[in-house]
Amino acid sequence: TDRKKLHTAPVGQVFRLRPFHVLVATGGGYAGYRKYEDYKLEQLEKKGIEVPVKLASEWEVALYKSVPTRLLSRAWGRLNQVELPTWLRKPVYSLYIWTFGVNMKEAAVEDLHHYRNLSEFFRRKLKPQARPVCCLHSVISPSDGKILNFGQVKNCEVEQVKGVTYSLESFLGPRISAEELQFSQTPLGNSFQQQLVTKEGNELYHCVIYLAPGDYHCFHSPTDWRVSHRRHFPGSLMSVNPGVARWIKELFCHNERVVLTGDWKHGFFSLTAVGATNVGSIRIYFDQDLHTNSPCYSKGSYNDFSFISNNNKEGIPMRKGEHLGEFNLGSTIVLIFEAPKDFKFHLKAGQKIRFGEALGSL
């Protein structure tokens, strides 16, 4: 009579699986499998073996997108802001340094105890002379990273990696008016690509830079230009590492991104910061109204903001090498710009590059 009664639920209720749990478990397991496949591809590339392109099917992309990466990235962001005890900082940061090959000798503050949380460590600043800015070339790398692809834009399609493309219009969104961009000349053609070219004899070029988790996380102005407009695309936060970029067509069009457009001395110029898994936070220093990976924004839309106003006719002037923004982890930057036909890139696909080094010149 002193024994407590045990209350049990029917077996069907105990093992009832909700659709959300099934999606998370299935999608998460598949994402892990893709990570393993990406690792094997990287090993083959290091051995010099060319890997054939194998694009994901629609159901594979849908399954990957079912993983709640936006929610997980917000949770990761909050975790990164938790202050670590002083005694725990060095072991945690040392593990990260060892895993991703971080060079702390370049950091402005080398003492690991200085960084109160992971977020501060990710956004660490460099010593003033760690990244000298090349003065001889017109366009420099805006960040540290790996060159995934570069060259001329052809047929309104841009290569994210060799053999895998995405639509230029889907990526940038509808064209912004010439008045808002302060262009002195009207577009020269009817296609979306031709509409971006404002000067006769010019071509449209692109360059894709992938920032790994161990890279310097800030990005800078790649040239002297004026930023006239910002377009924010809320979207998925799928991984953007080279393996996934080779697997999912139009990956950059699926992901959350911030497109800055304006002009430089040769015409149209744009810089796009693409979000990724655990990189929902994209910060632009001069844009206090920008809030990325926010639950108040839905996928499939975009939000525009103009820096041209009655009080500011010029937009935001940026000098080459000037601080522009930052990620909270690795991600991707895409440059799309107009230049004369004799513009030459000084790059090789797959090479490592550092902020301040030359991308190309006339």
Side-chain angles (χ1 to χ4, degrees):
T1 57
D2 295 333
R3 293 178 182 175
K4 295 182 179 179
K5 293 181 179 180
L6 296 177
H7 297 276
T8 59
V11 175
Q13 292 182 13
V14 174
F15 294 100
R16 184 184 299 168
L17 292 176
R18 297 179 181 178
F20 176 77
H21 298 154
V22 174
L23 287 175
V24 171
T26 307
Y30 193 75
Y33 166 74
R34 286 307 314 173
K35 286 286 188 180
Y36 174 67
E37 290 293 312
D38 296 339
Y39 171 77
K40 292 197 299 184
L41 290 176
E42 289 178 4
Q43 298 305 308
L44 291 175
E45 285 183 341
K46 288 180 180 179
K47 295 179 181 178
I49 301 174
E50 186 173 349
V51 181
V53 174
K54 184 181 178 182
L55 294 177
S57 61
E58 290 186 6
W59 73 265
E60 287 178 309
V61 176
L63 183 59
Y64 192 0
K65 292 175 72 174
S66 71
V67 181
T69 50
R70 298 181 73 188
L71 178 61
L72 293 173
S73 296
R74 285 195 289 270
W76 175 254
R78 291 181 181 179
L79 179 63
N80 286 348
Q81 294 174 3
V82 174
E83 185 170 342
L84 297 176
T86 306
W87 62 269
L88 188 59
R89 294 174 188 177
K90 188 171 183 179
V92 171
Y93 301 147
S94 296
L95 178 61
Y96 186 91
I97 292 168
W98 177 78
T99 303
F100 297 108
V102 178
N103 183 4
M104 285 302 294
K105 292 183 178 180
E106 298 176 332
V109 180
E110 297 184 39
D111 182 11
L112 298 180
H113 296 100
H114 169 79
Y115 303 99
R116 295 173 296 177
N117 51 48
L118 283 167
S119 183
E120 287 188 1
F121 180 72
F122 293 148
R123 296 181 285 106
R124 63 193 177 276
K125 305 302 181 187
L126 298 180
K127 293 175 180 175
Q129 303 303 320
R131 297 289 186 275
V133 175
C134 178
C135 299
L136 300 178
H137 299 273
S138 53
V139 184
I140 62 169
S141 176
S143 67
D144 290 6
K146 178 181 180 180
I147 301 296
L148 295 190
N149 216 301
F150 62 93
Q152 283 190 20
V153 177
K154 298 179 180 179
N155 302 320
C156 294
E157 292 280 325
V158 186
E159 282 193 318
Q160 57 192 29
V161 294
K162 186 177 180 181
V164 182
T165 62
Y166 57 93
S167 164
L168 180 64
E169 186 170 5
S170 296
F171 181 69
L172 295 179
R175 188 177 183 276
I176 303 157
S177 66
E179 291 78 12
E180 191 169 353
L181 290 178
Q182 298 291 292
F183 287 154
S184 58
Q185 297 187 27
T186 57
L188 301 177
N190 295 322
S191 73
F192 184 81
Q193 178 178 336
Q194 292 172 330
Q195 290 176 19
L196 297 180
V197 178
T198 62
K199 297 181 181 180
E200 188 173 357
N202 282 2
E203 297 287 349
L204 205 61
Y205 297 87
H206 75 100
C207 182
V208 183
I209 305 170
Y210 166 68
L211 289 74
D215 287 328
Y216 169 55
H217 290 55
C218 297
F219 51 93
H220 301 245
S221 176
T223 191
D224 296 335
W225 64 308
R226 295 179 301 169
V227 183
S228 304
H229 188 272
R230 178 258 291 162
R231 176 169 285 162
H232 170 216
F233 289 86
S236 301
L237 289 173
M238 295 184 284
S239 171
V240 292
N241 73 49
V244 177
R246 188 185 294 107
W247 179 55
I248 297 181
K249 182 178 174 64
E250 297 203 335
L251 171 65
F252 299 155
C253 298
H254 290 296
N255 272 17
E256 182 149 5
R257 59 198 182 278
V258 176
V259 183
L260 300 178
T261 52
D263 63 300
W264 69 320
K265 60 183 178 181
H266 299 297
F268 174 81
F269 198 96
S270 74
L271 181 149
T272 302
V274 183
T277 306
N278 295 334
V279 198
S281 175
I282 302 171
R283 182 183 175 192
I284 305 298
Y285 294 138
F286 57 75
D287 189 354
Q288 302 300 318
D289 295 323
L290 175 65
H291 301 285
T292 58
N293 194 20
S294 171
C296 64
Y297 296 126
S298 59
K299 297 179 184 179
S301 62
Y302 63 84
N303 310 290
D304 284 349
F305 184 85
S306 175
F307 298 108
I308 302 295
S309 64
N310 293 331
N311 298 326
N312 181 10
K313 300 291 185 180
E314 299 296 323
I316 307 296
M318 296 298 300
R319 304 295 297 175
K320 183 167 64 174
E322 186 177 351
H323 279 82
L324 182 55
E326 64 187 31
F327 295 109
N328 266 346
L329 202 59
S331 196
T332 297
I333 288 178
V334 180
L335 301 179
I336 298 175
F337 57 93
E338 173 186 359
K341 292 182 178 180
D342 57 350
F343 181 87
K344 299 294 182 183
F345 283 102
H346 304 287
L347 303 170
K348 293 182 180 179
Q351 80 171 70
K352 291 288 292 183
I353 197 166
R354 304 202 303 176
F355 155 61
E357 295 179 346
L359 284 185
S361 62
L362 298 170

